[in-house]
């Protein structure tokens, strides 16, 4: 066995270390450093020591170290700082927070997932139907604005339920006006997220602070009690927070946190999935064929003409799944962080060992895998069928050094921090794609213009586009099935 203390890359500047090189281009920096120093190295970033493990075969070894490597400590502290709710890592709350945490998995899988997915389908159709132009004229809107508007509202209503709804004197719905403001508040808060994540106190980001508080105002328990069809996830969190005797604003802020988790990655992921579909003739044709197969001939005998998508039908949409996975591969730039709770020695896949000290951060950067040309030839190209095998079924065998990879696509993280909403996220994006392709003729105004992801969010999840692009759309003539 070879014992190795990971090389330490501190840069020239005290405290700052290599922060500037890392922040300006994390992927480029990590690739270069990997080339120079090998698969494991420690970098000084913003005064903290991060040990990066870059060999994909060692990812599961890190994931299995839950005794020595803690995820909650970092995540809960981060959430407390950014969202302003109680510090659940304190001994006062840690026991009851374990219960709150277990609610994710109980309510985002199995029967609850089924219910959530059905509610989302119905909400998506309600939002889409309302936005459909009556005439068959073309409308223009930014694709990002289109996606955010539809997905935010449908997702919000699915989790937090609907309010009784009231009509204002001029006939406009107060609920809808609030929803338009809510999406703007959400985006204003989300725009500041990279700064907040870097440690800037929210008090210094006035717009973000106001936006967060405006969202919290609507998520106070007093108001939530008046909403109908609240998801199990939110209802059970409300009950648990009531039992913990948090103050009312603190409870509302935990719901803002949940809202952010449910939307911040989903909105850009839905954007990229639709964007790439519209840019590629092959993807568009294959996706429309699949959507037509599922919806065509669907007998609509209910009065409100809603379309159904059973779990089996959703699962059978392998082309849409591959499009979504490929869009996630290209746009995901999350960083998985664990904090060492003990001194220990990490033995990597190669047999190489790395001494880790209590308090050190261990970091994995899945984009190194997602854009590795050996695993994915032409890694920056969108190939709609990359995740399909020759039979058109989901492909899951990807190789590096002729070895099959367990972890080849990790937009949802893995191990203890794996996103509990991942199944729902894929369902809702599939539903969004299927419904928009079915109801609308859609075209990008300038399909040849290139669009790059906004790198300032690297490390935080799905990257947003650096700008919006114009979408032309109109109601299809045959959107109602016979
Ligand atoms: C955590 C990705 C959608 C709920 C995470 C993490 C990732 C992720 C990478 C782990 C973060 C970390 O390691 O620090 C995504 C992506 C999504 C998505 C790419 C969409 C494309 C959703 C949705 C929900 C959700 C729709 C809920 C309805 C959560 C929650 C956590 C989480 C609650 C924290 C889990 C914990 O503390 O253990 N997500 N997510 N996510 N996600 Fe998602």
């Amino acid at each position: 066995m070879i014992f190795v203390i990971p090389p330490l890359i501190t840069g020239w500047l005290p405290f700052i270390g290599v922060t500037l090189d890392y922040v300006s281009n994390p992927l480029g920096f990590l690739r270069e450093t990997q080339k120079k120093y090998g698969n494991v190295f420690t970098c000084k970033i913003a005064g903290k020591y991060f040990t990066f493990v870059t060999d994909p075969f060692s990812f599961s070894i890190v994931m299995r170290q839950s005794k020595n490597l803690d995820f909650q400590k970092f995540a809960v502290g981060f959430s407390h700082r950014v969202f302003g709710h109680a510090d659940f890592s304190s001994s006062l709350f840690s026991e009851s927070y374990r219960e709150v945490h277990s609610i994710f998995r109980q309510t985002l899988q199995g029967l609850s997932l089924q219910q959530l997915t059905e509610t989302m389908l119905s909400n998506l159709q309600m939002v889409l139907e309302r936005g459909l132009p009556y005439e068959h004229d073309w409308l223009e809107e930014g694709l990002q604005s289109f996606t955010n508007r539809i997905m935010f509202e449908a997702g919000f209503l699915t989790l937090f339920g609907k309010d009784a709804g009231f009509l204002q004197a001029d006939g406009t719905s107060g609920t809808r006006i609030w929803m338009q403001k809510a999406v703007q508040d959400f985006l204003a808060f989300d725009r500041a997220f990279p700064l907040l994540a870097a440690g800037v106190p929210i008090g210094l980001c006035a717009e973000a602070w106001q936006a967060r508080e405006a969202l919290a105002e609507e998520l106070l328990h007093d108001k939530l009690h008046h909403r109908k069809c609240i998801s199990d996830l939110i209802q059970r969190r409300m009950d648990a927070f009531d039992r913990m005797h948090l103050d009312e604003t603190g409870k509302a802020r935990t719901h803002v946190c949940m809202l952010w988790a449910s939307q911040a990655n989903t909105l850009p992921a839905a954007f990229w999935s639709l964007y790439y579909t519209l840019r590629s003739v092959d993807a568009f044709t294959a996706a429309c064929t699949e959507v037509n197969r599922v919806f065509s001939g669907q007998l609509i005998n209910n009065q409100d003409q809603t379309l159904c998508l059973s779990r089996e039908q959703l699962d059978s949409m392998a082309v849409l799944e591959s499009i979504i996975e490929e869009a996630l591969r290209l746009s995901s730039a999350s960083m998985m962080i664990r904090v060492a709770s003990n001194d220990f020695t990490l033995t990597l896949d190669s047999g190489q060992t790395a001494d880790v000290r209590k308090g050190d951060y261990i970091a994995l950067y899945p984009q190194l895998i997602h854009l590795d040309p050996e695993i994915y030839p032409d890694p920056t190209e969108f190939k709609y069928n990359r995740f399909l095998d020759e039979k058109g079924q989901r492909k899951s065998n990807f190789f590096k050094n002729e070895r099959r990879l367990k972890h080849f696509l990790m937009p949802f993280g893995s191990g203890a921090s794996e996103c509990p909403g991942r199944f729902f996220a894929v369902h809702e994006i599939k539903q969004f794609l299927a419904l928009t392709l079915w109801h609308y003729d859609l075209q990008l105004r300038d399909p040849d213009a290139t669009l790059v992801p906004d790198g300032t969010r690297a490390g935080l999840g799905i990257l947003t586009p650096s700008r919006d692009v114009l979408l032309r759309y109109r109601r299809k003539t045959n959107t109602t099935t016979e």
Side-chain angles (χ1 to χ4, degrees):
M1 193 180 285
I2 324 150
F3 284 92
V4 177
I5 295 173
L8 179 64
I9 298 106
T10 53
W12 298 105
L13 299 163
F15 186 79
I16 290 178
V18 292
T19 312
L20 300 180
D21 294 335
Y22 171 78
V23 168
S24 65
N25 178 4
L27 182 66
F29 171 78
L30 292 175
R31 277 178 170 163
E32 279 304 306
T33 316
Q34 181 188 26
K35 245 190 241 153
K36 262 197 220 156
Y37 298 99
N39 278 329
V40 54
F41 46 85
T42 304
C43 298
K44 191 173 185 187
I45 299 177
K48 294 206 158 50
Y49 291 97
F50 286 85
T51 296
F52 286 92
V53 175
T54 60
D55 158 35
F57 295 107
S58 297
F59 274 31
S60 16
I61 293 172
V62 174
M63 293 302 127
R64 281 201 301 268
Q65 289 285 340
S66 51
K67 202 166 75 76
N68 293 316
L69 293 175
D70 182 60
F71 157 66
Q72 285 299 330
K73 196 176 171 140
F74 178 80
V76 169
F78 179 81
S79 177
H80 160 65
R81 189 163 54 75
V82 171
F83 292 96
H85 54 60
D87 181 359
F88 296 118
S89 62
S90 83
S91 53
L92 196 62
F93 294 118
S94 59
E95 197 48 47
S96 33
Y97 188 69
R98 232 187 291 278
E99 181 206 333
V100 173
H101 194 261
S102 68
I103 296 173
F104 292 145
R105 285 175 211 278
Q106 291 161 17
T107 58
L108 287 165
Q109 292 182 16
L111 273 182
S112 299
L113 170 67
Q114 182 72 20
Q115 199 170 17
L116 215 51
T117 306
E118 282 167 21
T119 312
M120 182 71 186
L121 184 70
S122 141
N123 286 328
L124 268 174
Q125 292 192 70
M126 188 266 291
V127 176
L128 276 169
E129 182 56 37
R130 213 183 45 209
L132 277 173
Y134 287 107
E135 304 300 329
H136 297 290
D137 297 338
W138 289 98
L139 293 182
E140 279 195 351
E141 183 179 357
L143 177 62
Q144 194 184 15
S145 139
F146 174 87
T147 312
N148 287 351
R149 175 170 63 74
I150 295 166
M151 287 296 277
F152 181 87
E153 180 166 357
F156 184 96
L157 297 176
T158 302
L159 253 55
F160 294 96
K162 298 176 182 161
D163 74 4
F166 59 95
L167 279 184
Q168 289 181 338
D170 63 359
T172 53
S173 158
T175 308
R176 281 182 57 197
I177 292 171
W178 180 81
M179 193 57 79
Q180 285 161 12
K181 180 169 178 319
V183 71
Q184 292 315 321
D185 282 337
F186 178 83
L187 295 172
F189 174 72
D190 189 46
R191 267 194 302 277
F193 212 80
L195 282 180
L196 302 175
V200 175
I202 192 163
L204 297 179
C205 308
E207 199 193 358
W209 189 83
Q210 278 164 10
R212 186 190 79 186
E213 295 305 289
L215 290 167
E217 179 69 30
E218 199 60 24
L219 299 176
L220 287 165
H221 281 202
D222 257 2
K223 291 203 178 162
L224 288 179
H225 286 311
H226 288 102
R227 299 183 76 91
K228 300 197 163 39
C229 311
I230 292 194
S231 62
D232 277 359
L233 167 67
I234 299 302
Q235 187 59 59
R236 289 193 47 193
R237 282 170 63 87
M238 285 170 68
D239 297 344
F241 292 133
D242 282 343
R243 284 196 297 276
M244 285 163 78
H245 302 294
L246 302 183
D247 67 88
E248 293 304 312
T249 307
K251 291 178 199 169
R253 288 177 180 160
T254 64
H255 299 311
V256 178
C257 174
M258 191 61 232
L259 174 67
W260 185 84
S262 70
Q263 300 267 4
N265 289 308
T266 311
L267 299 182
F271 168 88
W272 289 113
S273 301
L274 185 54
Y275 170 76
Y276 286 124
T277 305
L278 297 180
R279 275 199 82 196
S280 148
V281 177
D282 290 348
F284 185 75
T285 311
C288 289
T289 307
E290 187 168 81
V291 170
N292 291 344
R293 167 177 64 75
V294 171
F295 283 149
S296 287
Q298 192 175 120
L299 193 68
I300 298 186
N301 47 18
N302 48 345
Q303 220 180 9
D304 56 2
Q305 298 212 323
T306 50
L307 291 158
C308 299
L309 262 179
S310 65
R311 175 68 194 263
E312 290 69 34
Q313 284 172 319
L314 265 181
D315 289 346
S316 76
M317 298 174 107
V319 170
L320 294 197
E321 181 126 351
S322 177
I323 286 175
I324 295 168
E325 291 195 323
E326 179 68 339
L328 289 172
R329 181 185 71 80
L330 286 167
S331 61
S332 153
S334 55
M335 177 149 95
M336 295 159 67
I337 298 175
R338 302 285 188 268
V339 185
S341 31
N342 307 298
D343 291 344
F344 74 103
T345 301
L346 187 64
T347 306
L348 301 176
D349 176 71
S350 59
Q352 181 184 349
T353 61
D355 289 332
V356 179
R357 288 163 310 171
K358 185 175 174 178
D360 280 356
Y361 288 170
I362 303 290
L364 306 179
Y365 202 73
Q367 205 182 31
L368 284 165
I369 300 178
H370 295 168
L371 296 181
D372 182 334
E374 205 189 323
I375 305 170
Y376 298 107
D378 308 317
T380 53
E381 234 179 74
F382 173 83
K383 297 186 183 174
Y384 85 90
N385 53 358
R386 206 185 279 271
F387 293 94
L388 293 177
D389 64 15
E390 41 312 319
K391 290 189 184 137
Q393 300 301 309
R394 188 171 190 273
K395 178 178 168 181
S396 57
N397 50 343
F398 291 87
F399 296 85
K400 187 171 171 73
N401 299 336
E402 295 175 8
R403 270 178 76 188
R404 189 169 172 181
L405 284 159
K406 178 162 184 245
H407 294 294
F408 53 88
L409 187 65
M410 305 174 71
F412 295 108
S414 185
S417 66
E418 188 167 25
C419 172
R422 62 196 181 281
F423 305 113
F424 178 57
V426 173
H427 286 178
E428 58 180 338
I429 299 172
K430 257 190 196 172
Q431 293 172 330
F432 169 71
L433 288 178
L435 290 171
T436 46
L437 292 173
W438 178 254
H439 281 299
Y440 295 119
D441 286 321
L442 301 147
Q443 296 171 358
L444 289 177
R445 177 78 179 277
D446 186 1
D448 297 328
T450 47
L451 182 61
V452 288
D454 175 4
T456 57
R457 300 179 69 88
L460 297 175
I462 305 296
L463 303 176
T464 52
S466 51
R467 63 182 169 85
D468 207 349
V469 288
L470 265 187
L471 170 75
R472 301 180 74 229
Y473 63 100
R474 65 177 179 185
R475 182 194 278 269
K476 268 190 186 165
T477 43
N478 63 338
T479 57
T480 41
T481 41
E482 308 294 312

